[in-house]
Amino acid sequence: MSQPKKRKLEPGVDGEGGEGAQEENGGEQETVLPRSRKTKKERDQQYYECYSDVSVHEEMIADRVRTDAYRLAILRNWSALRGKTVLDVGAGTGILSIFCAQAGARRVYAVEASAIWQQAREVVRLNGLEDRVQVLHGPVETVELPEQVDVIVSEWMGYGLLHESMLSSVLQARTKWLKEGGLLLPASADLFVAPISDQMLELRLGFWSQVKQNYGVDMSCLEGFATRCLMGRSEIVVESLSGEDILARPQRFAQLDLARAGLEQELEAGVGGRFRFSCYGSAPMHGFAIWFQVTFPGGDSEKPLVLSTSPFHPVTHWKQALLYLNEPVHVEQDTDISGEITLLPSQVDHRHLRIQLRYKVGDQEEKTKDFAMEEYLTVSA
Amino acid sequence: MSQPKKRKLEPGVDGEGGEGAQEENGGEQETVLPRSRKTKKERDQQYYECYSDVSVHEEMIADRVRTDAYRLAILRNWSALRGKTVLDVGAGTGILSIFCAQAGARRVYAVEASAIWQQAREVVRLNGLEDRVQVLHGPVETVELPEQVDVIVSEWMGYGLLHESMLSSVLQARTKWLKEGGLLLPASADLFVAPISDQMLELRLGFWSQVKQNYGVDMSCLEGFATRCLMGRSEIVVESLSGEDILARPQRFAQLDLARAGLEQELEAGVGGRFRFSCYGSAPMHGFAIWFQVTFPGGDSEKPLVLSTSPFHPVTHWKQALLYLNEPVHVEQDTDISGEITLLPSQVDHRHLRIQLRYKVGDQEEKTKDFAMEEYLTVSA
């Protein structure tokens, strides 16, 4: 129990806990249906239930890189927040809403669709902020606010930035409730990609050749099987890398300005871009890592504040999203790697992230591989 | 990726990988049905598919406590194995079968129901043992051997010893294929229980009272919610404890002699026993831990060899099975704790472990709590 476990978008045993959750689903045992037969509403309900449990909130708040970045960004924007109205989209336990009140906001609407809203209300009360922070239960798409707001704050980022598709809720809230020229916290997001040599994966693939020296049985023939199992799948793997795993200078391949008109449609159609790398040196290349950063306006005379999930920065609970090729490819110094990457919602469940990859390594022919996010859910208070 | 992830009995994305697996299910996407509507055969098929992936085998073989214990036990029994016939129930990648051949067995039947049998066949070939180790694909209940065997070896233990219910397959094989007076490796299993104060759980429950000093927001009111989420459920939690988490001298509450007539029926009816503890000292008691050991005959003039999963011994991939009470109970030195514990198969899926607990702490009234294993699968090569 050293770490809260990763959450699944499909609520399992874990998703049922907490009194709030029971209230939400009326205490009835849900029947598991094939996903494709679920309505959007049913899938959304399942999604909200994932946030009814304590572990996901513990993981997010315990992520100091994340929570400190939001806290600092909110406090630095005190002059924009002071006496103003704020909408917190997906408020979770309400901590960001309280930061906004502490920064001087006159009125904060903390909107939360999952049963955790009840806990947020308790936290607001405990901190004596009932007069300034109003917790509203429901999806932000349908909730009614008494007024337009000056600021929208939201921690909407999922694995690979776009898993969970919560950004589209933020954008709808922006269109509906943010005053012209209002502030968005964060204001933009950038996506990065780099080719990788994953040292942990390398160890796991090499494991079978070590069995003989440990136990006197030659199991090296399982390396091919291990490669097919660990690399041959089309799932996006969420793991943390270190800087040494990166094989070339990372590149930004997409930039999302949250105030940009038409961004919602872009997300539906797929966001991404082309890349080209020149390798640092000789290594087995396993695929690509993608990660993101979000940027907050710096407030008065401050530099913008960046929350980064780069493998060169301290690890966050988002780690990195890894796209493995079907097998390792040997690269040398200056090997040319090029291609294109596109992030888009799954056709089966719009909350699930899909990634299309086209790539060419050295003289090899160009290949494509499509990926889907493992069931993991994360993040977003 | 520091650890292979825990496996689920329901095969998900992970369960589909590997060429063997694809051959097994004909490449078709399985429709998810409510578990209760699955036939026993369908559930068994799902269970076998969990072992088609490399990660579970990597985890088991990388568990040196486990694999070294089997290797040593088999080699020490060389005089019983030399020139004899062996049945390996659930052979997995075949490593235990090869240990038996290395110990001098004339013929080893490596029976494996999952698609991993193909890898076992490759391993046998690579080690030049095709003439002595025969890999047979199928459930041991239906496979046909050309002869009775002198020895049965099997690594059948699941979380909480009995999760997966693989022991009943071993017992059926014993009845059907083991010669009168034949050797069982291991020969017996013991179950232990102790009251615990789980330091990691304590930290997690206390997390919410620390938020104020980290971020300036008082979230201490969430401790009750966290307690309900983390302790209020009826799932068996698989985590590793250390000796300091144990609140009283552990007690053996069940002993399974694999040669005992009627053991299969005992398993169906439920195995367990009563316990009584006197606490070491003052602590918040969170519940009980159960763990097991299995014992191998020591061979010629050797002491029996024990594979232990005790929190006082080096950690194994089985860790311990934790049964949390609904909330912490304060105990003092000499507080009397008594009760009874019963392990039995789930009524919904016979492979899933269920535990019934009856307990009384100090002067509190006697209580009961029923537990079911999380979906996790493990172990058993």
Side-chain angles (χ1 to χ4, degrees):
Chain A
M1 191 161 297
S2 57
Q3 291 271 343
K5 297 191 189 82
K6 282 181 179 172
R7 315 294 304 170
K8 304 204 132 218
L9 273 175
E10 306 284 338
V13 177
D14 277 341
E16 292 160 20
E19 60 186 8
Q22 279 159 22
E23 249 175 56
E24 279 305 286
N25 61 22
E28 282 186 23
Q29 199 73 26
E30 192 189 19
T31 305
V32 181
L33 295 171
R35 188 179 306 141
S36 55
R37 282 171 51 195
K38 291 207 188 85
T39 64
K40 179 173 178 306
K41 195 178 164 194
E42 284 168 331
R43 288 194 305 260
D44 282 348
Q45 198 53 43
Q46 281 207 332
Y47 170 68
Y48 300 141
E49 281 171 21
C50 293
Y51 285 104
S52 310
D53 178 67
V54 76
S55 299
V56 64
H57 299 284
E58 179 188 331
E59 185 182 31
M60 291 189 291
I61 292 173
D63 180 347
R64 294 212 62 148
V65 173
R66 165 196 177 272
T67 309
D68 277 337
Y70 269 86
R71 181 164 186 250
L72 203 58
I74 289 166
L75 296 181
R76 281 196 187 165
N77 280 281
W78 67 273
S79 67
L81 285 159
R82 198 176 179 182
K84 298 295 175 57
T85 53
V86 180
L87 166 58
D88 179 357
V89 178
T93 53
I95 190 168
L96 303 187
S97 293
I98 292 178
F99 290 159
C100 291
Q102 289 174 336
R106 174 174 60 81
R107 190 97 187 137
V108 184
Y109 301 102
V111 176
E112 174 55 46
S114 90
I116 200 73
W117 77 275
Q118 294 168 312
Q119 303 304 322
R121 194 181 47 185
E122 290 304 309
V123 172
V124 167
R125 196 177 295 158
L126 183 64
N127 288 272
L129 291 167
E130 308 98 305
D131 56 334
R132 288 162 63 206
V133 180
Q134 188 178 347
V135 181
L136 300 168
H137 181 215
V140 75
E141 288 83 352
T142 55
V143 84
E144 283 300 319
L145 306 187
E147 58 185 329
Q148 298 282 102
V149 297
D150 301 293
V151 180
I152 287 182
V153 65
S154 181
E155 200 277 77
W156 50 267
M157 299 88 75
Y159 290 133
L161 185 64
L162 296 178
H163 191 51
E164 301 179 51
S165 294
M166 192 174 150
L167 178 53
S168 70
S169 298
V170 175
L171 297 175
Q172 287 179 51
R174 176 204 65 185
T175 305
K176 197 165 169 188
W177 297 112
L178 188 64
K179 290 180 189 168
E180 184 73 26
L183 186 67
L184 282 156
L185 296 175
S188 63
D190 299 273
L191 279 157
F192 298 88
V193 61
I196 58 167
S197 186
D198 181 337
Q199 293 167 82
M200 282 310 304
L201 176 63
E202 189 69 4
L203 274 176
R204 291 191 63 189
L205 296 176
F207 170 82
W208 298 100
S209 299
Q210 304 298 315
V211 175
K212 185 162 186 178
Q213 78 188 51
N214 287 331
Y215 302 119
V217 176
D218 189 346
M219 301 191 89
S220 57
C221 59
L222 263 71
E223 184 164 334
F225 175 67
T227 303
R228 290 192 297 278
C229 288
L230 300 176
M231 301 186 70
R233 293 177 189 153
S234 59
E235 66 192 28
I236 302 164
V237 172
V238 175
E239 291 292 350
S240 61
L241 299 180
S242 68
E244 299 96 78
D245 296 317
I246 304 301
L247 285 180
R249 188 179 161 79
Q251 290 184 15
R252 183 170 77 175
F253 69 93
Q255 205 275 337
L256 311 180
D257 175 358
L258 270 61
R260 188 157 81 211
L263 182 56
E264 265 188 87
Q265 291 70 40
E266 288 178 54
L267 292 172
E268 283 298 314
V271 297
R274 300 176 62 86
F275 54 77
R276 163 151 264 149
F277 302 102
S278 182
C279 284
Y280 292 147
S282 176
M285 173 185 164
H286 295 116
F288 298 89
I290 66 169
W291 64 87
F292 63 89
Q293 64 182 36
V294 295
T295 304
F296 302 87
D300 300 329
S301 70
E302 293 273 3
K303 279 197 309 183
L305 195 145
V306 172
L307 164 53
S308 168
T309 64
S310 159
F312 294 97
H313 290 153
V315 68
T316 69
H317 74 290
W318 287 286
K319 305 177 184 173
Q320 286 86 39
L322 312 187
L323 312 176
Y324 290 136
L325 312 183
N326 288 339
E327 54 192 12
V329 179
H330 185 77
V331 295
E332 300 283 353
Q333 188 183 321
D334 301 330
T335 295
D336 188 67
I337 301 169
S338 61
E340 187 170 10
I341 194 166
T342 309
L343 279 64
L344 63 179
S346 155
Q347 287 155 319
V348 181
D349 183 339
H350 77 114
R351 291 201 183 273
H352 278 254
L353 176 61
R354 213 174 115 208
I355 297 184
Q356 294 174 330
L357 174 69
R358 187 167 59 74
Y359 66 97
K360 180 169 161 50
V361 180
D363 297 331
Q364 290 199 351
E365 60 181 12
E366 186 176 89
K367 292 179 181 167
T368 61
K369 188 169 177 182
D370 277 18
F371 297 85
M373 182 58 76
E374 292 184 277
E375 289 283 292
Y376 297 141
L377 164 68
T378 174
V379 310
S380 314
Chain B
M1 192 166 296
S2 59
Q3 290 272 343
K5 297 192 188 81
K6 282 181 179 174
R7 316 294 304 170
K8 303 204 131 217
L9 273 175
E10 305 285 336
V13 178
D14 277 343
E16 294 160 17
E19 61 184 9
Q22 278 158 23
E23 252 177 54
E24 281 304 288
N25 61 23
E28 281 186 24
Q29 199 71 28
E30 192 191 18
T31 304
V32 181
L33 296 170
R35 187 180 304 144
S36 55
R37 282 172 50 192
K38 289 205 190 87
T39 64
K40 178 173 180 303
K41 194 178 165 194
E42 284 168 330
R43 288 195 303 261
D44 281 348
Q45 197 55 42
Q46 281 206 334
Y47 170 68
Y48 299 142
E49 280 170 23
C50 292
Y51 284 104
S52 310
D53 179 68
V54 75
S55 300
V56 64
H57 299 284
E58 180 190 330
E59 185 182 30
M60 291 187 292
I61 293 174
D63 180 347
R64 292 211 63 149
V65 173
R66 165 195 177 274
T67 309
D68 277 337
Y70 270 86
R71 181 162 185 252
L72 203 58
I74 289 166
L75 296 180
R76 280 194 188 166
N77 280 281
W78 68 273
S79 67
L81 284 159
R82 198 175 180 183
K84 298 293 174 59
T85 54
V86 180
L87 166 58
D88 180 357
V89 178
T93 55
I95 190 167
L96 303 187
S97 292
I98 292 178
F99 290 159
C100 292
Q102 289 174 337
R106 175 174 61 79
R107 190 98 185 136
V108 184
Y109 301 101
V111 176
E112 173 55 46
S114 90
I116 200 73
W117 77 276
Q118 295 168 314
Q119 302 303 322
R121 193 180 48 184
E122 292 302 310
V123 172
V124 168
R125 195 177 296 158
L126 182 65
N127 288 272
L129 291 166
E130 306 98 303
D131 56 333
R132 288 163 61 206
V133 180
Q134 187 177 349
V135 180
L136 299 169
H137 181 215
V140 75
E141 288 84 352
T142 56
V143 83
E144 282 301 318
L145 306 187
E147 57 186 329
Q148 298 281 101
V149 297
D150 302 293
V151 180
I152 286 181
V153 65
S154 181
E155 199 278 75
W156 51 267
M157 299 86 77
Y159 289 134
L161 187 64
L162 296 178
H163 190 51
E164 302 179 50
S165 294
M166 192 174 151
L167 177 54
S168 69
S169 299
V170 174
L171 297 176
Q172 287 179 51
R174 177 204 65 183
T175 306
K176 198 166 168 187
W177 297 112
L178 188 64
K179 291 178 187 170
E180 184 72 29
L183 186 67
L184 281 156
L185 297 175
S188 64
D190 299 274
L191 279 157
F192 298 87
V193 62
I196 58 167
S197 186
D198 182 336
Q199 294 167 81
M200 283 308 304
L201 176 64
E202 189 70 3
L203 274 177
R204 291 191 64 188
L205 297 176
F207 171 81
W208 298 100
S209 298
Q210 303 299 313
V211 175
K212 186 162 187 178
Q213 77 188 51
N214 288 329
Y215 302 119
V217 176
D218 189 346
M219 302 191 88
S220 57
C221 58
L222 264 73
E223 184 164 335
F225 175 67
T227 303
R228 290 191 297 279
C229 288
L230 299 176
M231 301 186 70
R233 294 178 187 150
S234 60
E235 67 193 26
I236 302 163
V237 172
V238 175
E239 291 291 350
S240 61
L241 299 180
S242 67
E244 298 95 78
D245 296 318
I246 304 301
L247 285 180
R249 188 181 162 78
Q251 290 183 15
R252 183 170 78 174
F253 69 93
Q255 205 275 338
L256 311 179
D257 175 358
L258 270 61
R260 188 158 79 211
L263 182 55
E264 265 189 88
Q265 291 71 37
E266 288 178 53
L267 292 172
E268 283 298 314
V271 298
R274 300 176 63 85
F275 54 78
R276 165 152 263 149
F277 303 102
S278 182
C279 283
Y280 292 146
S282 175
M285 173 186 166
H286 296 116
F288 298 90
I290 66 168
W291 65 87
F292 62 89
Q293 65 182 36
V294 296
T295 304
F296 302 88
D300 301 329
S301 71
E302 294 273 2
K303 280 196 309 185
L305 194 145
V306 172
L307 163 53
S308 168
T309 64
S310 158
F312 294 99
H313 290 153
V315 68
T316 70
H317 74 290
W318 286 287
K319 304 176 183 174
Q320 287 85 40
L322 312 186
L323 311 177
Y324 290 135
L325 312 184
N326 288 340
E327 55 191 13
V329 179
H330 185 78
V331 296
E332 300 282 354
Q333 187 182 321
D334 301 328
T335 296
D336 188 68
I337 300 169
S338 61
E340 187 169 11
I341 193 166
T342 310
L343 279 64
L344 64 176
S346 155
Q347 287 155 320
V348 181
D349 183 339
H350 77 112
R351 290 201 184 274
H352 279 254
L353 176 62
R354 211 173 117 209
I355 298 184
Q356 294 175 331
L357 174 69
R358 187 167 58 76
Y359 66 97
K360 178 167 162 52
V361 180
D363 298 331
Q364 291 199 350
E365 60 180 13
E366 186 176 89
K367 292 180 181 166
T368 60
K369 188 170 176 181
D370 277 18
F371 298 85
M373 183 58 78
E374 291 184 277
E375 289 283 292
Y376 298 141
L377 165 69
T378 174
V379 314
S380 314

